[in-house]
Structure formats: structure tokens, C-alpha cells
Amino acid sequence: MRAMVSRLNSAVSRLFLFAFVAVMPTLVQAQSVNEGQSVRALTTDSSGALLVLRQSGLFALDSQNTTEIPLPPSDSGAQPRSMAKGGDESLYLAGPGLGIWRYDEASKRWQSLNDTLPDLGVTAIAAHATQPDTLYAYLGDGGMFRSRDDGAEWVKVDNGPREPVQAFLHSDMPGSMESGWLFAGTTRGVARSMDCFCFWGDAGELRGTVSAIDYDPWAPENVYAVIEGELHRSSDGGETWAGLEIPQAVTALTFSPTERLVVGTENGELLSQNASGEWVPVYE
């Protein structure tokens, strides 16, 4: 009997060890995703999963799984700092020294879109809200560039706002003489232009360095901007702004079909507002 119990205990121990080894990669991956690293950028993929860019890498998160997406190759070790989702759900990454890259979901590989750019000093990118092949890039002193063929050819359209652009977006908010609006987060505040590049002007009187900006695709007049960790909202397309109370410093934001407004924080957390207006962790 003792021998039988001993064999049973040994088998149970081996089974536990095997199970622990099997789940170890998942545990390590989960730890790496939430190790306190600041969130650099946020967007969603075609399935609605959150795409989270951190210093340690790019991760796709939903309520069940966390998957790491390898970053584009870089001989110089340049890191992405801007991320955008195209009108056809394509994913784009960009950064100084890295240029612009598009992710091919089928092959799980990145494709360079840098052949016709004057240099790789891209500090911010945006994708047209409704035209899948139209992209925008800001190259600092190089100015604003646009591509109408998904990055095959880039053409300079203007110098951009007076101050350097840190982040920007294309919105299909009504009222433009062409197909939408560009909102640029600069070192002075938010600048705005119709996408005909007719004129860059101030979007309200919000002042400070804007590190992140986005809008509600279901209500385009609602625009959100982050200044020094504080979240601000405009409900009239950038005419007026109001600060939003939030318990942590915000570094990134996006809109999810299930969570609606999602913010990434300096502490590495992802938060969304519940029905009571409280900020709660996402997928935890």
C-alpha cells in the first residue's frame, strides 16, 4: 500500500511539474506585458483586440489571450513611437530612424514603406479614416507628407503647423471642404486643418505639449488630447476643451468597439470608464 501511495504521489508531482512548465511561457508573457512599462501607443486590430506598444515590444490583448507581435527590423536599434490603424484595419508603425512600416497579417511580417521618403526621421503618422490607401507622415523639419497608394509614393503636402508635431490623426468629422480633418498634437497645443491642407490653425485654446491625441469614431466631434499626463476632451471638434479626472498619468489612448475609450498610463496599466464613470482596469 505504501509503495502504491508513493507511486501515486510521484505521478501527481510529475503531472504538476508538467502543467507548470506548460503554462510558464504564458505566465512570463503576461508578466512582461504588465511589468510597469509606460504605454507608448494604443490602437485596435480587425478583431477588436487592443494593440499595446511598450518599450519591451508590441502586444495584442483581448479578454482571453496575450500575443506578442515582433517589431520591424532596425539595424540602428531605432524604436517605434507612433502607431496607426488604416481604413482597412491595416497596422502601421513609425519612429525616428525607423521610418514607416506596415504589418502583413497573412505573412506575420513587416513591410517597409520608406523607399520614397526623404529620410527616416518620422515622428508621427496617421491613417485616413475612410480611405484605406491614404497615409500621412510628419518628418520634423521635412514637413508633412501624404501617400495615396499605401506608402508606395510619398509626396510633401506642406510644412505642417508652426510647432513640431508629436502626434496626429485623421478624422471624418463633418464640415471639411475635402474628405475630413487633420488634428495635430504639437508642442504648443492642438492644431487643426482640413485635409486639403488649406490652413493650419489652433483648435481651441488648449496649451502645452500634446503627447497623444485621438477621436471617437462613433461621435467624431469628440476629440481627446493628453498634455503632461492629463486627459482633455473636446465635444465640439476642438473649439473648446475640458479636463477629465483620471487617477493616473495618461500616455496613450484609443477607442475599442467593446471598451470604448481606453487609455494607457505611465504605470503601464490600461483603463476604461465603466457605466458609473469610474476608471477600471481593462482585461484584468
Side-chain angles (χ1 to χ4, degrees):
M1 176 63 77
R2 289 180 180 175
M4 183 180 298
V5 171
S6 177
R7 287 196 298 271
L8 181 60
N9 287 339
S10 178
V12 170
S13 297
R14 288 197 299 272
L15 181 61
F16 175 81
L17 180 61
F18 175 81
F20 181 78
V21 170
V23 302
M24 234 346 236
T26 302
L27 294 175
V28 170
Q29 186 182 56
Q31 183 180 12
S32 68
V33 172
N34 298 286
E35 60 188 3
Q37 290 186 358
S38 173
V39 179
R40 288 184 172 179
L42 284 171
T43 189
T44 58
D45 67 11
S46 57
S47 69
L50 286 170
L51 298 176
V52 185
L53 179 64
R54 304 175 187 270
Q55 182 178 355
S56 59
L58 176 62
F59 302 89
L61 282 71
D62 59 29
S63 57
Q64 303 294 326
N65 302 297
T66 297
T67 305
E68 183 172 5
I69 302 174
L71 293 175
S74 171
D75 294 336
S76 65
Q79 294 291 310
R81 81 180 215 186
S82 182
M83 184 162 60
K85 182 175 68 172
D88 60 353
E89 309 289 341
S90 293
L91 174 65
Y92 300 88
L93 281 181
L98 188 68
I100 304 171
W101 295 73
R102 181 182 62 239
Y103 188 63
D104 184 355
E105 180 64 35
S107 66
K108 308 296 182 186
R109 293 185 178 181
W110 292 94
Q111 177 185 358
S112 170
L113 305 181
N114 299 321
D115 288 348
T116 61
L117 283 174
D119 60 67
L120 301 181
V122 181
T123 60
I125 56 170
H128 197 286
T130 58
Q131 298 175 6
D133 293 333
T134 301
L135 305 171
Y136 305 90
Y138 179 74
L139 277 73
D141 293 338
M144 285 277 182
F145 286 74
R146 177 176 61 195
S147 172
R148 294 187 183 274
D149 52 12
D150 205 14
E153 182 180 7
W154 292 95
V155 177
K156 184 175 180 178
V157 285
D158 77 359
N159 291 325
R162 289 172 298 175
E163 293 78 22
V165 175
Q166 311 299 301
F168 73 115
L169 65 92
H170 182 275
S171 164
D172 56 354
M173 183 177 73
S176 172
M177 291 193 302
E178 199 163 310
S179 62
W181 298 80
L182 285 165
F183 288 83
T186 77
T187 55
R188 181 174 183 266
V190 180
R192 179 181 59 191
S193 171
M194 296 181 191
D195 58 9
C196 55
F197 291 92
C198 308
F199 170 74
W200 285 100
D202 290 340
E205 298 181 356
L206 188 65
R207 293 292 174 262
T209 297
V210 179
S211 57
I213 189 167
D214 210 337
Y215 81 110
D216 186 342
W218 298 281
E221 294 81 5
N222 292 326
V223 185
Y224 296 76
V226 177
I227 293 181
E228 296 180 359
E230 297 183 354
L231 182 62
H232 302 264
R233 172 177 176 262
S234 172
S235 59
D236 52 15
E239 293 296 321
T240 60
W241 296 85
L244 298 179
E245 293 291 334
I246 190 163
Q248 297 184 35
V250 178
T251 55
L253 67 154
T254 192
F255 279 83
S256 157
T258 56
E259 305 292 333
R260 299 304 292 260
L261 175 61
V262 177
V263 301
T265 73
E266 197 170 55
N267 296 335
E269 291 191 59
L270 302 175
L271 303 175
S272 66
Q273 280 188 308
N274 62 18
S276 302
E278 300 172 316
W279 291 96
V280 296
V282 176
Y283 300 150
E284 290 185 12

